[in-house]
Amino acid sequence: MTSIEKSKPVMVTGANGYVASWLVKKLLDEGITVHAAVRDPKNDKKIAHLKEAAAQAKGEIKFFAGDLMKPGSYKAAMEGCELVYHTASPFTTTVKDPQKELIEPAVNGTENVLNSAKEVSSVKRVVVTSSCAAIYTDAIDTVNAPGGKLTEEVWNKTASLDYQPYSYSKTLAEKKAWEISKTQSQWDLVTINMSLVMGPPLNPHNTTSESFNILKQMGDGTLKSGAPKAGMGVVDVRDVAEAHFKAGFTPNAKGRYITSAHDSDLFSMSQTLRPKYGEQYPIPKSAIPKFLLLLIGPMVNKNLNRKFIRNNINIPWKADNSKIKRELGMNFRPLSETMNDSFQVLIDEKVLSPKK
């Protein structure tokens, strides 16, 4: 059991990220002092939303510079903290050099943060933002998992540098975290393994993430002729922040936590938008057939290769989220709330405009 004092500061790496921003807000609202590590603390445009959250909360925020590729660069931010959240990691699926753009920042960053935690005597718990991508690569892996669904016991064995390198980077980074954790007894490690994160960003001008690219395609006509039934899990960004908070402050929290609210697919996700937005926006009305995707997919998008289509389209995605509900008392928002709140941000920010 690890009891964390709310009177002590808490460190968050990548503090201005999509998930981290909501976590920082939650910590501030609880009256906690946050040591926010960001790439450039002088870039006001990227941290203004965090300053605003602090101004409206009981807690206070202090900014520090941190670089995933620079050993020891998070040490100053960590001093005096009992709890460390390591959320900083690249999230993109379009890369030229996966080794340099995904693997190295994910693995080296984890190594740097956790090695510093071994040197800072105040640290009692480290919560690492991992991913369901460290558990599986394709929806077919969930079907092939013991009992036909993902559990915290399962590890990704099918991703590689050449196939789904993002999933490979998350797997290697989390394995590195557990490896380092075993070399010491000062702090315990908890990981949050989240599925696809959707929901409104705390910084409304930040609509460039992979999650928002998917959402844009549902509303800009890209998927007008049909959305693929690509099996995946979905979770609200606000719930993910809550899960991180609970993982940090629940004394009995331990091990990995699958943080996924809904077993879904892209077509089903798009359908939650139809009642409210279907009249004004070209939300897909049907699912695109798998045979058609196999014909045209690879020409439209290089990530839509035949192997990906075979392993994900019309394949149900299933994960067991009972551990996080039982041990951390998590409840999740309905999928329609997550999708509608996200879509509205794209409209408010004029990223999407209604049909003429």
Side-chain angles (χ1 to χ4, degrees):
M1 275 181 60
T2 303
S3 206
I4 301 294
E5 292 286 331
K6 287 189 179 174
S7 57
K8 300 276 173 70
V10 170
M11 178 198 167
V12 182
T13 72
N16 57 342
Y18 180 37
V19 169
S21 293
W22 281 107
L23 169 61
V24 169
K25 182 185 184 323
K26 170 75 180 171
L27 292 164
L28 291 167
D29 288 347
E30 291 281 333
I32 293 163
T33 296
V34 178
H35 285 191
V38 294
R39 208 175 294 164
D40 180 8
K42 294 188 182 75
N43 186 339
D44 208 52
K45 198 172 152 202
K46 293 205 167 166
I47 60 171
H49 64 291
L50 297 180
K51 287 182 173 174
E52 197 178 315
Q56 294 167 10
K58 291 183 290 187
E60 59 172 310
I61 194 163
K62 294 174 182 172
F63 290 97
F64 295 81
D67 182 341
L68 287 173
M69 301 302 281
K70 211 161 130 197
S73 73
Y74 292 99
K75 208 170 164 187
M78 218 177 270
E79 294 291 349
C81 298
E82 289 185 347
L83 176 58
V84 167
Y85 287 104
H86 176 42
T87 79
S89 192
F91 176 34
T92 176
T93 51
T94 44
V95 289
K96 287 196 176 81
D97 183 344
Q99 181 65 32
K100 257 196 167 47
E101 293 170 72
L102 292 173
I103 311 291
E104 286 171 18
V107 176
N108 296 359
T110 300
E111 203 167 1
N112 292 339
V113 173
L114 270 62
N115 280 337
S116 289
K118 285 167 70 172
E119 294 166 17
V120 177
S121 60
S122 58
V123 179
K124 288 184 178 178
R125 174 169 288 174
V126 179
V127 178
V128 168
T129 307
S130 186
S131 170
C132 280
I135 300 178
Y136 86 110
T137 304
D138 294 312
I140 194 74
D141 298 341
T142 76
V143 176
N144 293 337
K149 57 170 77 165
L150 300 180
T151 67
E152 284 81 3
E153 309 302 312
V154 180
W155 280 89
N156 186 330
K157 292 188 172 76
T158 52
S160 66
L161 202 54
D162 302 316
Y163 183 68
Q164 305 281 43
Y166 170 72
S167 299
Y168 189 51
S169 77
K170 296 308 284 185
T171 309
L172 294 179
E174 196 192 328
K175 281 189 166 169
K176 177 59 74 178
W178 287 111
E179 188 187 303
I180 295 169
S181 161
K182 288 188 178 83
T183 65
Q184 54 76 55
S185 55
Q186 175 196 321
W187 41 262
D188 60 11
L189 175 66
V190 180
T191 66
I192 294 293
N193 296 72
M194 55 208 193
S195 57
L196 177 70
V197 182
M198 302 293 278
L202 189 64
N203 175 5
H205 311 306
N206 182 16
T207 53
T208 55
S209 72
E210 282 307 319
S211 307
F212 280 97
N213 289 341
I214 291 170
L215 209 55
K216 277 177 214 166
Q217 291 177 357
M218 290 176 182
D220 67 5
T222 306
L223 299 175
K224 193 169 62 178
S225 57
K229 276 193 172 177
M232 61 184 67
V234 194
V235 63
D236 192 290
V237 67
R238 295 160 291 189
D239 292 340
V240 176
E242 182 70 24
H244 277 77
F245 181 81
K246 286 175 181 285
F249 289 96
T250 304
N252 292 331
K254 61 185 181 300
R256 309 169 93 195
Y257 287 98
I258 286 177
T259 308
S260 184
H262 309 283
D263 298 348
S264 192
D265 62 72
L266 278 182
F267 175 67
S268 303
M269 288 157 67
S270 71
Q271 295 315 285
T272 64
L273 300 169
R274 286 191 59 74
K276 189 171 177 187
Y277 302 105
E279 294 284 306
Q280 287 184 289
Y281 295 86
I283 311 288
K285 288 183 178 154
S286 59
I288 189 164
K290 188 166 184 169
F291 78 87
L292 193 58
L293 266 180
L294 282 164
L295 281 174
I296 63 163
M299 293 183 280
V300 180
N301 182 333
K302 70 173 172 42
N303 288 329
L304 270 180
N305 59 53
R306 289 196 169 84
K307 182 178 178 182
F308 177 86
I309 293 165
R310 273 197 307 273
N311 290 351
N312 291 279
I313 308 303
N314 297 359
I315 308 278
W317 190 94
K318 288 181 179 169
D320 180 354
N321 63 4
S322 61
K323 185 187 179 210
I324 198 166
K325 288 178 171 175
R326 185 176 64 248
E327 294 184 10
L328 302 187
M330 272 303 293
N331 294 306
F332 294 103
R333 282 172 170 76
L335 182 59
S336 57
E337 183 185 331
T338 300
M339 295 297 294
N340 281 271
D341 287 359
S342 318
F343 200 78
Q344 191 58 50
V345 172
L346 292 181
I347 295 167
D348 295 345
E349 290 298 306
K350 310 224 171 351
V351 175
L352 290 175
S353 42
K355 292 186 283 195
K356 296 284 184 283

